[in-house]
Amino acid sequence: IWIDFFNGAPSPGRATLRHLRANGTTVRSALDVLLAAFCIQGGHTLLHADRDFDAFEATQGLRAWRH
C-alpha cells in the first residue's frame, strides 16, 4: 500500500535516497528516508539515535540532535 503524504507531489524521499546512493551512501531503512525527507522539507529538527541520519545531516541539510 502506498500512502501519498505529499499530496501528489513527487516524493522528496525518493530524490533524497537517489542522491545518497549516487554518493555511495546506503540507508538501511526506507522509514529513515521518509522521516528525514519530511523533516528537511518542513524545516523540522529530528531527535534521533540512529547513525543512518548522519548522512542526511552531512549531505541533505537535515537539522538533527543526536540522542
Side-chain angles (χ1 to χ4, degrees), residues 26-41:
T26 302
V27 178
R28 296 175 293 169
S29 169
L31 183 57
D32 290 348
V33 175
L34 288 174
L35 285 170
F38 175 81
C39 290
I40 292 166
Q41 191 173 50

Side-chain angles (χ1 to χ4, degrees), residues 50-65:
D50 186 340
R51 65 185 171 134
D52 283 342
F53 291 109
D54 295 342
F56 293 102
E57 287 182 82
T59 63
Q60 299 293 310
L62 175 66
R63 293 186 323 197
W65 288 350

Side-chain angles (χ1 to χ4, degrees), residues 1-57:
I1 297 173
W2 174 255
I3 300 172
D4 184 7
F5 293 104
F6 302 101
N7 300 322
S11 170
R14 191 175 309 141
T16 301
L17 182 59
R18 238 184 250 135
H19 179 77
L20 288 174
R21 285 185 179 166
N23 290 325
T25 302
T26 302
V27 178
R28 296 175 293 169
S29 169
L31 183 57
D32 290 348
V33 175
L34 288 174
L35 285 170
F38 175 81
C39 290
I40 292 166
Q41 191 173 50
H44 306 293
T45 300
L46 178 68
L47 174 64
H48 70 91
D50 186 340
R51 65 185 171 134
D52 283 342
F53 291 109
D54 295 342
F56 293 102
E57 287 182 82

